Amino acid sequence: MLVDFNILPEESRVWIYQANRSFTEEELSGIKEKLNIFIENWTAHGSDLQSGYTIEYKRFIVIGLNQNLNNATGCSIDASVHFIQQLERDYNVDLMDKMNVSYKQGEYVAHKSLLDFKKMAKDKAVSKKTIVFNNLVTNIAEFKENWEVPASESWHSRFLK
């Protein structure tokens, strides 16, 4: 059951998929259409899952699930992963690689491999104040408070001196 992401409870679970590039307006339109269909039909053992999504910076797909009504099951999580993998194929984009880092350079969102980010940290091209995207947040409250944070307040801090 598709609902507006902004009305989901704070404790709703989130999954964040970061793209290795920005989506075009045309791609965003197609992705939203596909997300609407997928989420409207997303179930766990036949029960509707109350979910919503947001797309941030034309790059991050964030799916939220109200677990107060129904929890995602192994099968429903698998279905969402297969859906995201299909988006990867449809748009020739990487959404599942967790070994990449996105961070802000002014208002621009940059995307680097973890190895490149480590090298940039060593070379002082990024700092503890660099705004990074902590895609490890698990619920909407954390998403709102701890998704866009200075690197010093994220797991990224281990690479910065």
Side-chain angles (χ1 to χ4, degrees):
M1 164 185 4
L2 177 63
V3 299
D4 184 327
F5 183 85
N6 296 310
I7 69 162
L8 289 168
E10 297 279 292
E11 62 275 9
S12 295
R13 184 169 177 186
V14 293
W15 291 269
I16 301 172
Y17 301 97
Q18 82 180 355
N20 59 335
R21 62 172 178 80
S22 295
F23 295 114
T24 66
E25 290 300 327
E26 185 177 324
E27 288 173 328
L28 284 169
S29 178
I31 290 168
K32 288 175 184 176
E33 189 175 310
K34 291 175 185 197
L35 276 161
N36 289 343
I37 293 167
F38 172 75
I39 291 177
E40 189 61 48
N41 295 291
W42 195 23
T43 61
H45 298 298
S47 298
D48 283 344
L49 295 173
Q50 187 184 58
S51 330
Y53 69 90
T54 183
I55 299 176
E56 302 292 329
Y57 298 103
K58 297 182 180 182
R59 182 181 289 263
F60 299 91
I61 298 172
V62 184
I63 298 175
L65 169 66
N66 180 356
Q67 294 190 117
N68 294 334
L69 296 180
N70 287 307
N71 284 320
T73 62
C75 292
S76 59
I77 292 171
D78 285 349
S80 68
V81 169
H82 291 302
F83 170 75
I84 294 295
Q85 289 171 330
Q86 186 61 52
L87 286 180
E88 287 182 314
R89 290 187 291 277
D90 292 348
Y91 295 97
N92 192 28
V93 65
D94 179 7
L95 293 164
M96 303 282 287
D97 190 344
K98 304 294 186 206
M99 296 303 290
N100 292 319
V101 176
S102 291
Y103 59 96
K104 280 188 170 178
Q105 287 184 316
E107 285 306 304
Y108 176 75
V109 175
H111 181 86
K112 298 286 183 193
S113 72
L114 187 56
L115 286 174
D116 286 345
F117 186 81
K118 286 180 185 179
K119 184 176 182 335
M120 290 176 69
K122 184 179 176 197
D123 295 342
K124 307 264 191 260
V126 292
S127 73
K128 292 179 180 186
K129 293 180 181 179
T130 300
I131 301 297
V132 295
F133 296 91
N134 179 9
N135 297 324
L136 300 179
V137 297
T138 59
N139 62 45
I140 288 180
E142 289 179 358
F143 174 71
K144 289 178 179 176
E145 295 296 318
N146 299 314
W147 180 55
E148 285 185 59
V149 293
S152 62
E153 297 176 25
S154 175
W155 63 268
H156 304 82
S157 64
R158 70 183 82 166
F159 307 122
L160 303 163
K161 294 179 183 176

